Structure formats: C-alpha cells, structure tokens
Amino acid sequence: MSIEINHLEHTYNAGTPFSHQALKGIDLSIPEGKVTAIIGQTGSGKSTLVQHLNGLLIPSAGTLDICGFHIQPLLKIKDIKQLRKEVGLVFQFPEYQLFEETIEKDIAFGPKNFGIEEEKANELVRKILPMVGLDESYLQRSPFELSGGQKRRVAIAGILVLDPQVLVLDEPTAGLDPQGAKEMMTLFMDLNKKQGKTILLVSHDMEHVMRYCDHVIVLDHGKVLQENDVRTFFEHPEWMIEVGINPPAIIRLKMMLQEKGFKIPDSILDMPSLVECIKGQVNGHE
Amino acid sequence: MVMNNIALGRYMPLDSVIHHLDPRAKIMVLLFLMIAVFIPAGAVGYVVIAAFIVVALFLSKLQISYALRAMKPMIWMMIFLLVINTLVIKTGTPWIQWGWFSVYSDAIYQTLYIVVRLMFMIILTTILTATTKPLDLTLGIEKLLKPFEKIGLPAHIIAMMISIALRFIPTLIEETQRIMNAQASRGVDFENGGLKEKIFSILSLIVPLFVSSFDRAEQLANAMEARGYDPNRQRTRYKVLKMKTKDIFGMAMSVVILGVCLGIWIL
Ligand SMILES: Nc1ncnc2c1ncn2[C@@H]1O[C@H](COP(=O)(O)OP(=O)(O)OP(=O)(O)O)[C@@H](O)[C@H]1O
Ligand SMILES: [Mg+2]
C-alpha cells in the first residue's frame, strides 16, 4: 500500500502571534517498497512533513493514509502505538534519545514498549547490532561513552529493532564521516532490497540521493515543487539550481564541460559513460 | 504536544505603551504592587489594585485569554486550598451543615483572599514578562542591583546568569519536545499508562535532557572563555536605558496604590 497525502497543511502554534504555516497543501503519493528522497532548502518543511507519517503531528488540514491508518485533523488516531511500530522514524541527530545504562537496554527499550518480553527483546538486539556495524562487545557498554558516530548507530538500531514496514530517516548521515555515511546508506539499501521496506530519506546530500534513491520529492516553502524519478530529476540540473540545491559533483563537471563546448547528452549520469563520451569527442576532434 | 501551552513567562511581540516602558520602571511597579497585594487592606485595596491591573492589561494589548491561560496551572492549587481550608477553618458563621460536614464563612473568605492574591501576582508577572524582552528584563535587573555592588553583590554576574538561563529556556523546551518525539517514536506513551510506565517514560526524557544540557553548558563555557570572557571586567552596554515621563508616571501610580493600601491597613 502506498502512502497517500492529500492537501496536507500544517500550522505551528495556530491561533497565537507565533502562528506559522510550515506546510501549505501537500499532495503526494509515495510508492511502496521504493527509496524516496525528500529534499529542499533548510526550513522548507521536510521534518514537519515526516513527523506526520507516524502521527507525531496531526495535520491542520488535509488527510494522510499510511499502512492502513487514516489520519485527518482533530481526529485522535486509534491504536497510535501500532502506527509507530509500522512507521519507524529516525530523527535528525538521534543520538540525543539515548538514556539507558547499557546499549543492550537502550536498543531493547523500543520493543519492550511495544510489549515484547525482555528475553525476546534482547535476542532481537543481538540480531540488529551487527547490522549497524557494532559487535557484541558493545552490548554491556554505556551509550554515553561512545563516539558521536557510534551513538548514531545505536540510536538507529533502536528503531530498526522494531522492524518497521516504513522507515523514515531524517538526515541520518548528517555529521558522519564519509565512510560511516556510506556504511549507513548501504545498510538502508539492504533493508530496502532484501526486506522490501519502504524508505523515506530526508537528505541534503545530492550524491546520496543520486546514488541510492528511486524517487525524488522537492519541497520549497511548504509546497511540493517537484516529484520525479531520480533519473529524470538529475537530467535537469537547472531544477536543482532553481531551488538553491548544489548538484552532485558529476553533474557540475558535466555542466562545466558543456560550457566548454562538449556535447554531452542529459542521460549520462555516471563517470564511466561520461569518460566514454568525452573520449569519443576528443578522438573525433583529432 | 504539551509544551506549546506554556504561557507564563513568554514574551509577546506586540506594540504597546507598556511594551515601550523602561524595564526598570516595570520591575519597580511589579515590586511595589506585590507588596501592596500582601498588605491586608480589605476589599478597597483589592479593588484599587484590580483597577490598576485591568488598565495595564488593556494598555498592553495582550489578549485577556492569554493572561487567563497563565493561571490554568494554578487551578488545582486553588481547589486544593479550598478543600484544606474548609476542613481546617471552623470560625465565622456556618454556611453549610450536613452532618459532620460543615463549611464556615471564614474558610471561604480565607480561600478567596489567597486566590485573589495569587491571581494578582500571576497576572502582574505575566504582564511584565509578556511585554518585556528577556534581555531587557535582565538589563533592568542588573541596573537595579547596581547600587548593591558596593556591599559586594555581583550584579553583573547575577544578570549574566539570569540572561543565560532565560536564553536557554526556549532551547530546553525545543529539546524536550524533540526528545519526547523521538521516544514516542520508540513506543513511549507520555499521556497514558500506570505509575511505573509514567516513571519510566519520564526517565527516558529527563536523562537525555540532562546529558544534552551539560554538553551545552560545557560548550557555552568553552566558547565564552575562548573569547576572553572575564566576569569581573567593566563593560559598557550597547543599549542605554533612559527613564521617561511615562515611566515616572507608572511608578508614581504604583507608589500611590501602595500608599493607599498601607494607609487603610495602619489607620
Ligand atoms: N516546533 C515548531 N514550532 C514552530 N515552528 C516550527 C517548529 N518546527 C519547525 N518550525 C518552522 O517550520 C518551518 C519548517 O521547518 P522544518 O523543521 O520542517 O524544516 P526542514 O525542511 O526540516 O529544515 P532543515 O533542513 O533545516 O531540517 C520552519 O520555518 C521552522 O521555523
Ligand atoms: Mg529538518
């Protein structure tokens, strides 16, 4: 079942002098089993949008259908816990949610909240830990003595352990080193490819979006500016420049070459074919 | 979820006479009126103070509902007071008599007195904080404490502490909200559940909050030190406060009210 969003609006602090409309009528259909990127400038409403997906925010207007739940203004969601289990939400800088004495307990915290027995929960923890690149020696350590990147892994494990059907990630790699970021993205792709999980990724990193995602949604000032498959989107660099997003390196290189008179078709998006294309033209010139 | 309802102490960016008063004057008015509220000057005293509050509220352009909302957290305390007073105070004329249960007039009057005083104090404080930017408020406090520096009171340090605390209140609220959201996503239910679950859910909020607050405090201290902050150094201010006629008038009014209350009490 895809995620259907209809005319969704959200106003923070409605009815006070601080009232601010962060989402101004969003219409979207997010495909199941795909990796969808949500991009846009800072303050465009990405985090606000994704917080609707597991019922943390309720729309001011419009509706949202996700995993069999129908969400609309003023209506209390029945069985909201079930929704939170189906839709796993990893926040920006999730390391701030750690609080237990040991990593084992912290990761097991979620499953226990959803009524899973302690032993079963600990078993799940043992299964999830290697997936985020940490070994069993970490189980009994305190989460507060880890490095920032390791904390992030533990926090993400705390959501993955719930085995959600839809995984929503708000800038999961912000502040990680390139190697760590790559490992994280590989993990998410595995979850998508092997377990068929629907993944929503909020990201500022266009390299990641281009490499890993199937679908791109561009938000701008609380509106959907674009909804496209990744290829089409990156074949039109002018769209990115329009909303102030820095295109990936290869696109920038392509644009520079085009400026210098090379004829490069829009469809070329990877380095080998770009090299091939230039080679052809240089040789032809000689 | 919960945090957006905090009305007490939030600055409301409006444009009114009260907003433009000198913070020192506003603090002094609050001080005088607080004293007046505690003087047992009977109904007349309260009417005079109430009149002043109504005028101030009107001039401040704040919504009445905003001021009333600030009192919401007090309702339980008021009910509690009422219950205790009816049970304990057995003087005056008995108004209700049902078997062993009786309510005496003094119990009601006592409760009313306390409730009215509390209401006055809350509304007055709300008007002050809603019409004065936190930074101006601290500046006002610092200037008012200045004379006490002679007897060793570190006015500047106190003001700096207050302004740092004030500066971090919104950050803390935001942080609380964020952690609550993150834990709710892990299945914590902050609204329902028994005592044990409640304690655990609060723990999952408090611990990360402390951790990040300590982090932040350390970062701030380092940043201040790195820029050569020395609490004992003399410094000038970008903003210089100046009392105007309206400030003097406001203070004079509050002194008059204080005088009236004192007069009624003593005479
Ligand atoms: N709790 C809140 N209360 C009031 N306004 C908010 C709140 N959270 C966000 N906003 C406002 O809503 C708008 C959208 O914010 P949002 O956090 O969704 O942006 P974003 O696209 O996630 O940005 P970033 O890339 O910086 O994370 C911003 O203008 C922001 O100031
Ligand atoms: Mg965001």
Side-chain angles (χ1 to χ4, degrees):
Chain A
M1 227 183 315
S2 59
I3 302 167
E4 299 294 336
I5 302 173
N6 282 311
H7 308 301
L8 186 133
E9 294 179 13
H10 190 88
T11 306
Y12 283 108
N13 304 317
T16 73
F18 302 99
S19 143
H20 175 82
Q21 191 176 20
L23 297 176
K24 305 170 184 163
I26 303 279
D27 285 287
L28 280 176
S29 172
I30 298 167
E32 191 190 6
K34 290 263 162 56
V35 183
T36 303
I38 301 179
I39 62 175
Q41 278 184 312
T42 171
S44 55
K46 306 180 292 294
S47 300
T48 307
L49 177 62
V50 297
Q51 284 176 52
H52 282 83
L53 299 175
N54 74 346
L56 286 173
L57 292 178
I58 300 292
S60 312
T63 63
L64 163 67
D65 284 281
I66 182 166
C67 297
F69 286 83
H70 179 73
I71 302 173
Q72 64 183 61
L74 303 174
L75 189 77
K76 208 171 150 91
I77 305 166
K78 261 190 286 172
D79 205 7
I80 193 154
K81 265 196 163 181
Q82 190 55 31
L83 173 62
R84 304 241 160 105
K85 196 186 154 349
E86 300 278 353
V87 183
L89 183 57
V90 177
F91 275 85
Q92 248 165 327
F93 301 104
E95 44 273 32
Y96 287 112
Q97 71 192 37
L98 304 176
F99 77 102
E100 281 278 19
E101 297 146 63
T102 67
I103 289 169
E104 179 176 35
K105 277 191 187 170
D106 206 289
I107 301 178
F109 178 65
K112 279 195 280 184
N113 283 327
F114 288 108
I116 292 173
E117 302 281 312
E118 175 131 16
E119 268 165 45
K120 184 86 201 322
N122 288 347
E123 211 173 285
L124 291 175
V125 174
R126 258 158 248 271
K127 224 183 278 169
I128 229 69
L129 207 55
M131 283 171 64
V132 293
L134 299 174
D135 59 58
E136 293 219 348
S137 70
Y138 283 92
L139 282 175
Q140 300 308 323
R141 286 176 62 181
S142 159
F144 297 110
E145 59 190 39
L146 300 180
S147 76
Q150 288 169 325
K151 277 186 196 160
R152 175 87 50 100
R153 286 158 199 257
V154 173
I156 289 175
I159 293 292
L160 294 184
V161 73
L162 299 170
D163 193 26
Q165 202 37 52
V166 177
L167 189 58
V168 184
L169 305 149
D170 198 345
E171 298 189 40
T173 57
L176 290 185
D177 62 294
Q179 182 57 31
K182 199 173 152 210
E183 283 169 28
M184 273 294 147
M185 290 309 297
T186 317
L187 162 66
F188 301 141
M189 290 314 116
D190 271 359
L191 290 170
N192 170 253
K193 301 281 154 357
K194 292 184 189 148
Q195 302 182 21
K197 293 195 189 301
T198 306
I199 294 190
L200 256 97
L201 176 76
V202 176
S203 184
H204 282 289
D205 187 332
M206 289 308 118
E207 315 282 343
H208 284 168
V209 174
M210 188 160 113
R211 175 154 339 146
Y212 302 109
C213 298
D214 306 313
H215 220 75
V216 183
I217 293 166
V218 186
L219 290 190
D220 187 45
H221 292 97
K223 292 208 180 92
V224 178
L225 200 65
Q226 282 243 5
E227 191 187 355
N228 253 316
D229 66 274
V230 161
R231 270 208 91 77
T232 319
F233 181 72
F234 284 103
E235 281 172 13
H236 295 85
E238 66 275 10
W239 290 344
M240 274 169 271
I241 289 160
E242 198 182 310
V243 279
I245 297 169
N246 200 12
I250 182 152
I251 306 274
R252 294 202 304 271
L253 176 61
K254 216 170 82 175
M255 286 162 76
M256 272 148 83
L257 288 167
Q258 276 165 339
E259 224 167 80
K260 295 279 181 227
F262 282 91
K263 300 229 167 357
I264 299 164
D266 282 333
S267 60
I268 288 182
L269 291 177
D270 61 307
M271 202 49 94
S273 17
L274 182 61
V275 171
E276 229 18 74
C277 172
I278 300 171
K279 203 162 86 187
Q281 288 183 41
V282 173
N283 287 344
H285 198 74
E286 279 170 348
Chain B
M1 283 185 283
V2 195
M3 292 298 155
N4 293 333
N5 301 327
I6 294 183
L8 194 67
R10 195 163 182 189
Y11 175 68
M12 285 288 178
L14 300 170
D15 187 27
S16 82
V17 196
I18 307 280
H19 280 76
H20 291 300
L21 287 180
D22 188 301
R24 287 172 299 178
K26 282 190 269 190
I27 295 170
M28 290 313 289
V29 171
L30 179 74
L31 205 68
F32 290 142
L33 286 180
M34 285 279 197
I35 299 171
V37 165
F38 273 97
I39 296 173
V44 180
Y46 287 146
V47 168
V48 173
I49 298 171
F52 184 89
I53 290 178
V54 168
V55 172
L57 205 56
F58 174 74
L59 288 178
S60 72
K61 292 189 186 166
L62 292 173
Q63 287 169 333
I64 306 291
S65 64
Y66 174 81
L68 291 179
R69 222 166 12 155
M71 271 182 299
K72 228 160 97 188
M74 298 303 300
I75 288 177
W76 288 109
M77 199 171 146
M78 291 177 186
I79 292 173
F80 180 71
L81 265 174
L82 183 65
V83 172
I84 295 286
N85 277 343
T86 21
L87 291 179
V88 173
I89 301 177
K90 298 288 177 197
T91 54
T93 45
W95 279 359
I96 300 173
Q97 193 87 53
W98 287 329
W100 60 271
F101 181 78
S102 58
V103 178
Y104 282 79
S105 56
D106 278 6
I108 303 293
Y109 286 138
Q110 278 293 334
T111 313
L112 228 80
Y113 271 141
I114 301 179
V115 166
V116 168
R117 282 178 184 171
L118 276 176
M119 265 172 53
F120 283 169
M121 288 193 326
I122 293 172
I123 299 187
L124 283 169
T125 320
T126 307
I127 296 177
L128 174 69
T129 52
T131 62
T132 320
K133 286 189 196 119
L135 274 180
D136 291 342
L137 203 58
T138 358
L139 181 56
I141 293 173
E142 184 179 349
K143 291 291 172 210
L144 287 173
L145 289 179
K146 204 89 193 166
F148 297 101
E149 269 186 346
K150 290 203 183 67
I151 57 164
L153 192 84
H156 168 71
I157 294 178
I158 292 176
M160 180 54 101
M161 273 160 57
I162 297 175
S163 62
I164 289 176
L166 287 173
R167 154 68 185 81
F168 279 99
I169 287 174
T171 312
L172 221 60
I173 293 176
E174 213 173 88
E175 190 86 15
T176 309
Q177 185 72 72
R178 231 178 51 170
I179 296 169
M180 276 174 91
N181 280 343
Q183 303 300 27
S185 302
R186 294 210 275 169
V188 177
D189 189 341
F190 286 99
E191 272 137 46
N192 312 308
L195 185 67
K196 198 177 155 223
E197 282 111 74
K198 272 264 164 62
I199 292 175
F200 219 66
S201 59
I202 297 290
L203 211 63
S204 77
L205 174 63
I206 298 285
V207 175
L209 209 51
F210 264 99
V211 171
S212 69
S213 300
F214 282 125
D215 274 1
R216 230 178 269 250
E218 194 175 322
Q219 278 170 18
L220 182 69
N222 285 341
M224 282 169 80
E225 242 167 60
R227 286 184 237 171
Y229 175 76
D230 175 0
N232 299 316
R233 198 61 69 77
Q234 270 301 321
R235 41 177 65 76
T236 53
R237 285 279 185 172
Y238 166 65
K239 196 166 179 173
V240 180
L241 295 180
K242 242 204 177 114
M243 287 272 185
K244 300 208 187 76
T245 326
K246 55 186 180 190
D247 299 307
I248 308 286
F249 180 73
M251 284 197 288
M253 284 294 291
S254 60
V255 171
V256 168
I257 290 176
L258 182 57
V260 169
C261 290
L262 270 175
I264 295 175
W265 181 40
I266 293 168
L267 295 180

